[in-house]
Amino acid sequence: MTLSLGIDTGGTYTDAVIHDETRGVIAKAKALTTRHDLSIGLGEAMDAVLAASDVAPSDIGLVSISTTLATNALVEGQGGRIGLVMIGFSESDLDRAGLRDALRGDPVIFIAGGHNAHGRETAQFDKGALEHALAETQSQVSAYAVAGYFAVRNPEHEIAARDIIRDATQLPVTTSHELSAKLDGPRRALTTVLNARLISMIDRLIEAAENRMVKGGISAPLMVVRGDGSLVAAGFARARPIETILSGPAASLVGAQHLVQAENAIVSDIGGTTTDIAILDNGRPRIDPQGATVGGFRTMVDAVAMRTFGLGGDSEVAIDDGALKPQIRLGPRRLLPLSLLAHLHGPEVLQNLERQARATIPVRNEGRFALKAGVPDRLAAGLSRSEADLFSRLKDTPQPLDRLLAATAELATLNRLAARGLALIAGFTPSDAQHVLGRFTHWDRDAALLGAKLFARKKDGYGNPLAPDAETISARVVDRLVRLSAERVLETAICEDGLDGAALAASALAQRALDRETGIARFSLALDRPVIALGAGAGAYYPRAGELLATQAIVPEHAEVANAVGAVVGQVRISVTAEIMQPVEGRFEIAGLEGAAGLAFPSMEEALAEAERRCRQNAEALAKEAGAAEAKATVSRDVETAEIEGREQFVSATVTAIAGGRPATAI
């Protein structure tokens, strides 16, 4: 009997399951995710599931974790400050692929160097300029990203820069050629920037898991779920944290298929921060050939074709300011629910809410609190004077914003600190609304009730309160989340059909169909497959969302821990790709593989044979490094030719090796 421990660290909860290959899930447990110290929540979840199962820690043969932390960070615009080294690029390249937006003002270092499409050096690498720039920036950043012009064809300048940065700064470094073999330098640079920004976050998660395993007497291998649903060893994931974006959602897809055994379905996983929606076709998740899109950024990370929306149980509840009849807005930012804040921090939260509720004239920012996020101080590098001043006034305990903020302008400063992951903001959320309505009972209902009362007395454009009481506004918030959930499922389905899902789902015709409006012309819609709803809140929202969509909504047993199930039933899968080019007649070169730059062959077949050998060798070695018990690669080739003047001419060729298998276990 092989027992595995699956863990999913979400924005609100950390889930754990004990899984047996023949019996399935034999125990499950939840604990609050403790962002200030992830090991606490991990440890509580691990201890609880082991106690529920009567399994000895020494009997665990494999531990695997999935996480939504990286996805949530990108959706919410969080992450450490980084330095980007651009080799052979120009300032104008920052305006492509959303790179400038992703940088958010972080320092960029432009260095001479780079290669052409055939991997030949176009300019000498300026080592001195890099060393000078590092001396000026290393105290301002927590990591570096390096992107070289045509580095996928020849990575030598990226490798040189990486070694210099490591020696000079001892900070983490990400190079673009290690993350993707695809062309499009600015988008590869974007992916590298996001990877560098996430390193400290994933590193803390893995370190927390390893520490708790040692403390708990578990000596099994530790695996991490990647964005395509495959598993890799913890050390492998540490160097490539960007590959864990959509890790939690990918694990949920694997878990959904395992729990329901459905061949075709729409899988929607609602968490505290996000809703992640994807398609199952013939029992397998669709893979996005263009790379994962998260937080509005199109990366080069192989991942399930997942659409991630900033919509969850802990979404920020707001209204359209200035509208006569304002619509309730949810997300994309996550807030710490008031009910949870009071549950964690006690009566002082309630006292401040009661003080605000007693005021006959609403105070500015009522019902909102802030506290330190508990991340290491080194991640606060590069703060402006106003940001540093406000950060110094934050405490580990919550403070009401009406007393914390000295001026209106400081609200924008606080929002920037929250975007950096340095501050947590608490306020009224759908989870609070469910507590008010008596449907959730696990946190502090009194705090939720006060928060709802404060929100209900906000004024519409006519000067009237939004709602007469806490129950009414809470029901409207829950209804809004149900409606938005249905709309996001519909949008995803339309997008997967190759149409503009956002526009069509919001169209008057789609809205009339969802509203069941009558008229001479009547509109209805339906989906061709059921919706599998996952997450702790799935049962509270998706049966009604399914009714709106005229389709079956399945909430399976263990839906609340499906990510943790998916974390332990997956496999290691590694792919390595190389390109064959013919820069001049009769000379075939291999590109895209470290150590193969400059290799040339007189025939296509010889070049293909050598590329296949090297790809197979690299894939099998990487699969073993990634934790596979045994790794045997399969190799495929794709040769592109064109007929020119009656002769078939070679254009290019791609060789791909895929290796993997079940992860090695300790037992």
Side-chain angles (χ1 to χ4, degrees), residues 227-230 249-255 257 262-263 265 267 278-288 303-306 496:
D228 62 358
S230 64
S252 74
L253 269 177
V254 176
Q257 203 283 327
E263 290 296 302
V267 180
I279 308 296
L280 276 177
D281 278 333
N282 300 317
R284 296 187 61 82
R286 288 186 183 178
I287 300 296
D288 190 341
V304 295
M306 179 82 64
E496 289 298 318

Side-chain angles (χ1 to χ4, degrees), residues 344-600:
L344 295 173
H345 293 280
E348 191 171 339
V349 173
L350 284 171
Q351 291 165 10
N352 276 293
L353 289 170
E354 288 167 348
R355 170 183 60 80
Q356 293 173 350
R358 286 194 300 269
T360 54
I361 299 175
V363 300
R364 191 184 300 275
N365 298 315
E366 64 182 10
R368 293 286 176 102
F369 296 77
L371 65 160
K372 275 188 173 180
V375 298
D377 286 343
R378 61 184 171 81
L379 297 182
L383 293 180
S384 67
R385 182 177 299 178
S386 61
E387 290 167 347
D389 174 63
L390 181 55
F391 183 66
S392 70
R393 299 188 339 247
L394 291 175
K395 300 177 181 178
D396 294 329
T397 54
Q399 300 176 76
L401 296 196
D402 64 323
R403 291 184 170 175
L404 171 67
L405 304 182
T408 303
E410 284 199 326
L411 181 60
T413 306
L414 177 62
N415 288 336
R416 290 196 299 272
L417 292 176
R420 287 279 302 272
L422 301 174
L424 294 176
I425 300 175
F428 184 58
T429 69
S431 294
D432 293 313
Q434 294 282 26
H435 278 81
V436 171
L437 298 173
R439 298 167 186 167
F440 290 0
T441 58
H442 36 286
W443 299 331
D444 192 312
R445 183 178 183 272
D446 290 338
L449 191 62
L450 286 165
K453 286 180 178 178
L454 292 172
F455 193 83
R457 74 181 189 180
K458 288 179 179 289
K459 299 292 194 292
D460 63 18
Y462 296 106
N464 300 318
L466 294 179
D469 51 50
E471 288 76 13
T472 301
I473 195 66
S474 295
R476 284 178 58 189
V477 168
V478 171
D479 288 346
R480 185 64 179 154
L481 183 49
V482 169
R483 177 55 174 255
L484 289 175
S485 296
E487 289 182 8
R488 298 301 176 259
V489 170
L490 178 60
E491 177 181 334
T492 300
I494 295 172
C495 283
E496 289 298 318
D497 284 337
L499 302 172
D500 186 344
L504 290 173
S507 68
L509 297 185
Q511 295 299 311
R512 287 190 68 181
L514 290 171
D515 290 334
R516 305 292 197 273
E517 285 190 18
T518 59
I520 297 173
R522 297 187 180 185
F523 299 91
S524 62
L525 57 83
L527 304 175
D528 77 334
R529 60 194 68 197
V531 174
I532 301 175
L534 306 175
Y541 303 110
Y542 270 81
R544 288 171 58 200
E547 290 173 7
L548 287 174
L549 295 166
T551 194
Q552 181 187 16
I554 303 170
V555 183
E557 185 183 10
H558 311 307
E560 75 281 13
V561 292
N563 294 28
V565 173
V568 292
V569 298
Q571 296 197 347
V572 175
R573 184 181 184 275
I574 297 293
S575 66
V576 174
T577 300
E579 283 189 82
I580 309 297
M581 300 178 299
Q582 185 181 211
V584 296
E585 185 84 26
R587 180 183 173 89
F588 296 85
E589 297 181 356
I590 300 174
L593 287 176
E594 268 192 57
L599 285 180

